[in-house]
Amino acid sequence: MATVVKRAEVSAWAPLAVRVFRALWIAQLVSNTGSWMQTVGAQWLLVGHSAALVTLVQTAASLPIVLFALPSGVLADRYDRRSVILAAQFTMLTVSTALAVLAFRDALTPPLLLGLTFLLGCGTALMGPAWQAIQPELVERDQLGQAAALGAVNMNLARAVGPALGGVLVAAAGAGWVFAFNALSYLGIATVLLLWKRPRTTRPPSGKPGLLAAVLAGRRYVWHAPGVRRVLVRTVLFIPGGAALWSLLPLVASRSLGLGSGGYGLLLGAVGIGAVSGAFVLPRLRRMLGANGVLAGGAVVFSVSLAVLAVTRSPWIAAGSLLPAGLAWISVLSTLNAAIQQRLPGWVRARGLAFYLVVFQGGQALTAPLWGALADGLGLTASLLTGAGLLLVAAVSVRWWPLHTTAGIDPQLSDHWPTPPLVFAPGPADGPVLVSLTYRVASGDQAAFTRRMQDLARSRRRTGALTWGLYQDGRHPDRFTEHYLVASWSEHLAQHHGRLTATDRHIEERVHRLLVPGTRPEVRHAFDASAGPAVTAIADRERVTAEEA
């Protein structure tokens, strides 16, 4: 009898056995703790001002991600990710040092505080996509899920500890010491990265598209990936109501509950404790409810927590309601993050995550001042109940806009296209390039063929096609011609050897199964000849280049 070897399950703590991951995890915990302490210090300095001004701290921290996450994603996809993260760390260290110095001198006015908070957010925007995209270099592929979960535990441990420490330190010694600790906290990650003996990486090849073209390539991928778009839709539906908690909690602590900075820190700590517990029960919740059930249930639980905060005047009841809020928060966000990670191939991963960060942080940045204005106009109770209502709408909407299944999604690269056979050698910038494929399809399969070609159209557009069309021959109805236009020859070669995934290959195979038996698509590549024959133009250019050499 053959022996069946059962593959051992990967422990939830397995990534911590990797020395560099463990060191970065500890350094990140210190840095995240400092960031939460800084948030408490900044918000508490403004508590005596209007509600709108307090909520602008959230906007100042999140708005840079809306503005700069996409260019940062391009940098992380094209250049050394460690260098990008180091640049972000030293930028944030400098800004936090300035905050501390100004606070110690009692020169930190609200405009200066918000402006420097904005600059800290710029550092976060620069770091975010690179930090997410570097994880596969730290652990084995089968440990990526555990690494992501440990990242969530890290953030929420910091949320549980940092606000409480920050509140106590602000009350005992002043906000300047909080900002000083945050400045020092950035040195840990920088030190680990500098000491990391990272395998040598190759420089990006020449002929890369410019910054704008790379951002547009990322946008094109996201737009033509229905599963990714749905994750963004679910994020848009959850964040406005969820942001009410982070925007209004300082005001709940000071106005509704009569607490000082230490009490506010403890309330944030309750959210963090709930979130840490959520990291441990989330796998079981996903098995019981599925991803969409977690999204709906999390929105309902968060809604109830906001409603309790709206009506209670007891600090203990408020803290108790924040425990399930933390669990719901991490459950929803971890589910959304996992859903988008599973769908993004390596070549566009940082840019795809940057779009997610823009939606996530942008939702908080744009709604925070609205919550502040609503609190000033209608009061805290009405504002919190409005947020609770929005979250109930988000929960109900899962029925109509659920996350798509990941069945059949494989983002691994697939180099299955042969190099195009041409009689001349185009340059990387030559283009646009018109790619034509002719298929022969029996009449009984043509309806199914055209339906499957819609999936192929999205695949072409995700990987670089600017336009796409499918045409049936009027004289030979069994012949269909597919046309798509690519901006340049280098863009088309990127389709051949760097962008196609196993999912794209599967889509092509489903189309090919409907072709007349024994036939294959006839492929042609045509170059722009509006200013004269393309072959002649390329030959003339090569002759001039040779003469100059």
Side-chain angles (χ1 to χ4, degrees), residues 59-117:
T59 300
S62 302
L63 186 59
I65 297 179
V66 180
L67 300 176
F68 305 123
L70 295 180
S72 298
V74 173
L75 294 176
D77 274 335
R78 294 177 58 180
Y79 300 109
D80 180 65
R81 288 165 179 163
R82 175 166 62 177
S83 298
V84 173
I85 297 172
L86 284 170
Q89 294 298 303
F90 287 115
T91 297
M92 292 186 286
L93 185 153
T94 302
V95 175
S96 292
T97 300
L99 273 168
V101 170
L102 290 171
F104 284 134
R105 294 183 176 180
D106 291 325
L108 193 57
T109 62
L112 273 175
L113 176 60
L114 293 174
L116 290 171
T117 301

Side-chain angles (χ1 to χ4, degrees), residues 19-20 82 192-199:
R19 185 171 61 179
V20 65
R82 175 166 62 177
V192 175
L193 287 174
L194 288 171
L195 296 176
W196 178 22
K197 296 180 180 179
R198 187 186 184 198

Side-chain angles (χ1 to χ4, degrees), residues 311-326:
V311 299
T312 187
R313 297 297 178 263
S314 166
W316 294 108
I317 294 176
S321 71
L322 290 172
L323 292 172

Side-chain angles (χ1 to χ4, degrees), residues 17-247:
V18 180
R19 185 171 61 179
V20 65
F21 181 91
R22 182 173 64 251
L24 278 174
W25 193 89
I26 295 171
Q28 185 190 19
L29 179 61
V30 175
S31 182
N32 285 337
T33 300
S35 296
W36 277 106
M37 293 172 67
Q38 192 273 339
T39 298
V40 170
Q43 289 181 322
W44 207 254
L45 283 177
L46 298 176
V47 161
H49 298 79
S50 69
L53 193 60
V54 175
T55 57
L56 281 178
V57 173
Q58 183 72 41
T59 300
S62 302
L63 186 59
I65 297 179
V66 180
L67 300 176
F68 305 123
L70 295 180
S72 298
V74 173
L75 294 176
D77 274 335
R78 294 177 58 180
Y79 300 109
D80 180 65
R81 288 165 179 163
R82 175 166 62 177
S83 298
V84 173
I85 297 172
L86 284 170
Q89 294 298 303
F90 287 115
T91 297
M92 292 186 286
L93 185 153
T94 302
V95 175
S96 292
T97 300
L99 273 168
V101 170
L102 290 171
F104 284 134
R105 294 183 176 180
D106 291 325
L108 193 57
T109 62
L112 273 175
L113 176 60
L114 293 174
L116 290 171
T117 301
F118 178 87
L119 291 179
L120 276 177
C122 292
T124 302
L126 179 62
M127 176 182 172
W131 182 267
Q132 293 277 355
I134 207 172
Q135 299 305 306
E137 298 184 43
L138 303 177
V139 298
E140 297 295 333
R141 180 172 179 78
D142 63 351
Q143 296 180 5
L144 285 176
Q146 288 75 10
L150 286 171
V153 170
N154 189 302
M155 173 58 74
N156 289 288
L157 278 174
R159 182 184 280 126
V161 175
L165 291 178
V168 171
L169 193 55
V170 168
W177 290 104
V178 170
F179 300 143
F181 178 86
N182 189 41
L184 293 175
S185 73
Y186 295 114
L187 293 174
I189 291 177
T191 300
V192 175
L193 287 174
L194 288 171
L195 296 176
W196 178 22
K197 296 180 180 179
R198 187 186 184 198
R200 183 179 297 274
T201 56
T202 58
R203 291 176 59 86
S206 59
K208 287 276 186 179
L211 179 64
L212 179 59
V215 170
L216 292 176
R219 185 206 65 82
R220 185 169 56 240
Y221 185 93
V222 169
W223 183 254
H224 295 288
V228 174
R229 282 207 319 271
R230 183 56 58 84
V231 173
L232 299 183
V233 168
R234 296 304 328 162
T235 305
V236 167
L237 289 168
F238 177 77
I239 288 301
L245 175 66
W246 310 114
S247 301

